[in-house]
């Protein structure tokens, strides 16, 4: 197996792949018959979909959105909205180049759509309510696409998002590299915060105040649907053998909560961001993760460790009203047993160059305020989203495959985790100064009173949403469309 993977890798290099589809080594149809592809490794932490299709290159699943009740805390179950009665929804697990067919049925009392966050598929399948007619109660829609890039992604509702998303309409996606590095184990952690009030029910939604200004932050922290904080909360637990080399994938499915993240008791390298594997893994004491973003870590327990702990570092006010970081254990692994893991072989990854003169330089000012007694959030002064059934403002039209730099500025205090559908970009500067934030992103954290500059080649033609990932901000205006023109001679399908 080891030799086989190496040969595949070498073939990929010789055929010159890995330039455009930066995070992956080869696209579909790279000349290897499907029957010799090694099976995908199991992902610990979430239950996958039942695959209805026997073809190993097709993942075909049923997806139903409906009311559900989940025992989050002792006592009365919490009324949620879930996919397939699972919270989070089932894991969509595929290999790059696979065809994914999702038979979606809406059994909610209101319309909805499903967005495949980070997948560079066609705009018609993206779950944008500006392109796809909302799926009405009782109606169905079949999503059908090829997964173009390996990485850790997620899916979620993109309509009536303030409530539907808070109540649990999301799930994770793992797309494996065609020649994936092998690990002792792969684990997935999907983090969320939910605000529970009386009788363990989701608290009322506010129309003004801090929930709108800075986004709704919950009081109950969840990892893979398990409560990890408070009196009855427990970190997500499992065991890890000494000598193991594991891949831990983290999806930030919070609404507005951004926080630090670290892993204690292990040597840890960051190996992937939103858009897949990095050209060069790197070591960091901690990373910061904003709503919508993902990280993959390579985790090797210390030889003398008794436990490995995944911790969130959450900002709270201390008794002197100073902002301090409170560590909260999200997951706790007991070190048990021993294995001798082989070194993972990472495929060659080359990202689009960022040391180039951009063909265009844009400014997107993210702002908010009260207009006619209504809270409005704006991009370049325009509240771009004006409600269901209306047109989005078209913010900009991009030529394909040329580098464009966009400086996003938050000129008021709240942060805006800003998401661009259907494209990857790289964060190149903050406050005008270069930063070390390697890797492809689809979501950039624009902190309050800060600017972040991204550079993208806008490789995926179509009409795409761009918006703050805080539901209260996007649904009150900070959501627009961009157009990416098709390359000359390209026929859109
Ligand atoms: Cu925002």
């Amino acid at each position: 197996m080891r030799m086989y993977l190496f040969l595949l890798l070498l073939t990929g290099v010789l055929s010159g792949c890995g330039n455009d589809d930066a995070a992956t080594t080869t696209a579909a149809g790279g000349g290897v018959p499907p029957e010799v592809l090694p099976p995908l490794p199991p992902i610990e932490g979430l239950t996958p979909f039942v695959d209805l299709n026997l073809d190993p290159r097709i993942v075909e699943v049923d997806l139903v959105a409906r009311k559900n009740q989940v025992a989050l805390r002792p006592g009365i179950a919490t009324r949620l909205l879930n996919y397939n009665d699972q919270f989070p929804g089932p894991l969509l697990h595929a290999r790059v180049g696979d065809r994914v067919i999702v038979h979606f049925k809406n059994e909610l009392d209101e319309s909805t759509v499903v967005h495949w966050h980070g997948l560079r598929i066609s705009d018609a399948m993206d779950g944008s309510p500006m392109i796809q007619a909302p799926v009405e109660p009782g109606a169905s829609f079949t999503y059908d696409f090829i997964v173009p890039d390996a990485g850790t992604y997620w899916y979620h509702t993109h309509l009536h998002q303030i409530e539907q998303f808070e109540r649990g309409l999301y799930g994770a996606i793992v797309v494996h590299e065609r020649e994936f590095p092998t690990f002792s184990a792969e684990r997935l952690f999907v983090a969320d915060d939910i605000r529970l009030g009386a009788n363990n029910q989701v608290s009322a939604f506010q129309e003004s105040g801090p929930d709108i200004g800075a986004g709704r932050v919950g009081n109950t922290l969840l990892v893979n649907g398990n409560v990890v904080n408070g009196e009855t909360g427990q970190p997500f637990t499992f065991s890890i053998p000494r000598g193991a080399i594991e891949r831990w994938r983290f999806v930030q499915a919070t609404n507005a909560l951004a926080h630090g993240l670290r892993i204690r008791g292990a040597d840890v390298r960051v190996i992937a961001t939103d858009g897949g594997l990095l050209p060069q893994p790197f070591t960091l004491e901690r990373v910061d993760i904003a709503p919508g973003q993902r990280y993959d870590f390579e985790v090797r327990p210390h030889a003398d460790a008794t436990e490995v702990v995944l911790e969130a570092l959450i900002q709270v006010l201390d008794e002197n009203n100073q902002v301090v970081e409170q560590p909260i254990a999200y997951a706790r692994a007991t070190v048990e047993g021993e294995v001798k893991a082989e070194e993972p072989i990472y495929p060659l990854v080359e990202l689009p160059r960022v040391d180039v003169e951009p063909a265009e330089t844009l400014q997107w000012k993210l702002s908010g305020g009260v207009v006619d007694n209504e809270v409005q959030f704006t991009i370049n002064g325009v509240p771009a989203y004006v409600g269901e059934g209306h047109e989005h403002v078209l913010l900009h039209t991009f030529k394909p495959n040329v580098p464009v730099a966009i400086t996003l500025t938050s000129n008021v205090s709240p942060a805006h985790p800003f998401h661009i559908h259907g494209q990857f970009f790289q964060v190149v500067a903050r406050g005008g100064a270069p930063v070390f934030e390697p890797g492809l992103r689809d979501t950039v954290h624009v902190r309050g009173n800060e600017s972040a500059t991204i550079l993208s080649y806008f490789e995926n033609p179509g009409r795409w949403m761009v918006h703050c990932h805080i539901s209260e901000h996007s649904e009150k205006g900070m959501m627009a469309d961009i157009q990416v023109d098709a390359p000359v001679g390209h026929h859109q399908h």
Side-chain angles (χ1 to χ4, degrees):
M1 176 64 73
R2 174 52 59 98
M3 177 63 75
Y4 173 67
L5 288 174
F6 178 71
L7 284 175
L8 282 179
L9 182 62
L10 199 64
T11 315
V13 174
L14 290 175
S15 64
C17 71
N19 295 320
D20 295 322
D21 283 348
T24 65
T25 50
T26 46
V32 181
E35 60 270 21
V36 301
L37 290 172
L40 297 179
I43 308 284
E44 309 290 338
L46 283 179
T47 310
F49 276 102
V50 175
D51 187 354
L52 305 169
N53 199 307
L54 292 176
D55 186 326
R57 301 311 307 271
I58 301 176
V59 180
E60 185 168 7
V61 302
D62 285 329
L63 181 67
V64 182
R66 63 180 160 221
K67 292 176 183 172
N68 190 28
Q69 300 204 15
V70 177
L72 293 178
R73 286 172 167 174
I76 299 172
T78 305
R79 290 190 297 274
L80 298 174
L81 305 175
N82 289 154
Y83 292 120
N84 291 13
D85 304 325
Q86 288 176 232
F87 181 51
L91 166 67
L92 181 63
H93 192 190
R95 187 192 316 260
V96 69
D98 281 356
R99 181 178 174 194
V100 171
I101 304 168
V102 179
H103 302 285
F104 174 66
K105 177 134 201 264
N106 179 12
E107 293 187 4
L108 304 171
D109 296 336
E110 59 184 5
S111 55
T112 192
V113 286
V114 187
H115 169 53
W116 312 93
H117 184 127
L119 299 185
R120 298 194 298 177
I121 53 181
S122 75
D123 57 4
M125 290 294 141
D126 183 55
S128 158
M130 290 302 111
I131 291 190
Q132 181 193 348
V135 184
E136 299 300 332
S140 298
F141 184 85
T142 298
Y143 294 92
D144 189 340
F145 50 80
I146 306 281
V147 282
D149 304 293
T152 305
Y153 307 98
W154 60 307
Y155 60 96
H156 59 79
T157 172
H158 220 308
L159 256 192
H160 307 293
Q161 205 176 308
I162 294 174
E163 180 155 359
Q164 287 187 5
F165 182 57
E166 168 78 346
R167 286 191 184 274
L169 282 174
Y170 64 84
I173 305 170
V174 170
V175 181
H176 266 92
E177 298 78 19
R178 191 176 172 91
E179 301 99 35
F180 52 84
T182 53
F183 296 88
S184 315
E186 292 205 29
R187 302 183 192 280
L188 179 61
F189 305 96
V190 181
D192 185 13
D193 62 335
I194 190 168
R195 187 182 300 165
L196 299 182
N199 298 319
N200 294 339
Q201 299 311 306
V202 174
S203 308
F205 292 86
Q206 301 171 359
E207 271 305 308
S208 62
D211 278 13
I212 305 300
R216 179 174 161 125
V217 173
N219 57 6
T220 305
L221 300 168
L222 303 157
V223 173
N224 297 348
N226 297 277
V227 176
V228 296
N229 71 329
E231 278 178 23
T232 56
Q234 292 287 341
F236 193 78
T237 55
F238 53 97
S239 70
I240 182 169
R242 216 171 297 281
I245 306 172
E246 297 195 347
R247 182 177 189 167
W248 291 13
R249 301 166 184 263
F250 191 94
V251 177
Q252 185 68 295
T254 53
N255 176 39
L257 182 68
H259 57 71
L261 200 61
R262 71 177 174 203
I263 299 170
R264 292 193 292 108
D267 289 326
V268 179
R269 295 198 298 170
V270 178
I271 59 170
T273 54
D274 297 353
L277 288 171
L278 296 163
Q280 195 71 51
F282 65 91
T283 307
L284 260 194
E285 186 88 344
R286 57 171 282 166
V287 295
D288 288 286
I289 187 159
Q293 294 184 321
R294 289 86 63 204
Y295 275 110
D296 292 12
F297 304 101
E298 180 202 72
V299 179
R300 304 165 186 248
H302 287 153
D304 58 350
T306 55
E307 60 178 22
V308 179
V309 183
L310 171 68
E311 272 180 352
L313 304 167
I314 295 184
Q315 291 192 342
V316 291
L317 291 177
D318 71 2
E319 57 271 26
N320 302 318
N321 258 355
Q322 298 294 308
V323 176
V324 293
E325 286 191 323
Q326 181 189 7
I328 293 181
Y330 268 17
R332 188 186 300 276
T334 311
V335 179
E336 269 175 10
E338 189 152 3
V339 294
K340 196 168 177 334
E342 286 188 49
E343 283 296 320
I345 300 173
Y346 292 100
L348 188 75
V349 173
E350 202 180 321
L351 301 187
R353 285 180 58 180
V354 291
D355 57 337
V356 292
E357 189 64 32
E360 272 188 291
T361 302
L362 305 177
Q363 300 270 344
W364 288 353
K365 288 200 169 58
L366 312 178
S367 192
V370 177
V371 179
D372 300 334
N373 289 322
E374 285 272 327
V375 178
Q376 278 190 347
F377 288 91
T378 57
I379 304 172
N380 288 348
V382 180
Y385 175 74
V386 282
E388 187 178 343
H390 293 81
E391 280 288 301
H392 269 181
V393 167
L394 183 62
L395 200 57
H396 194 77
T397 298
F398 294 88
K399 292 188 189 73
N401 306 316
V402 291
V404 177
I406 306 170
T407 297
L408 299 114
T409 306
S410 168
N411 65 354
V412 283
S413 59
H416 300 293
F418 202 85
H419 175 41
I420 297 181
H421 285 219
Q423 320 290 328
F424 292 141
F425 53 78
Q426 296 175 71
V427 180
V428 293
R430 287 188 185 272
V435 286
F436 177 75
E437 294 187 29
L440 297 173
R441 288 275 178 217
D442 54 51
T443 305
V444 56
H445 198 207
V446 183
R447 300 186 187 92
N449 297 310
E450 195 206 57
S451 77
T453 303
I454 61 172
L455 188 129
S456 175
Y457 283 72
F458 292 93
E459 294 167 275
N460 193 13
R463 185 163 175 132
W464 303 100
M465 295 170 85
V466 299
H467 63 89
C468 178
H469 216 281
I470 295 174
S471 303
E472 288 77 6
H473 293 179
S474 61
E475 300 229 326
K476 290 184 184 300
M478 200 175 281
M479 179 151 66
D481 278 5
I482 58 166
Q483 174 76 36
V484 179
D485 287 342
V488 176
H490 175 95
H491 297 281
Q492 254 190 298
H493 40 89

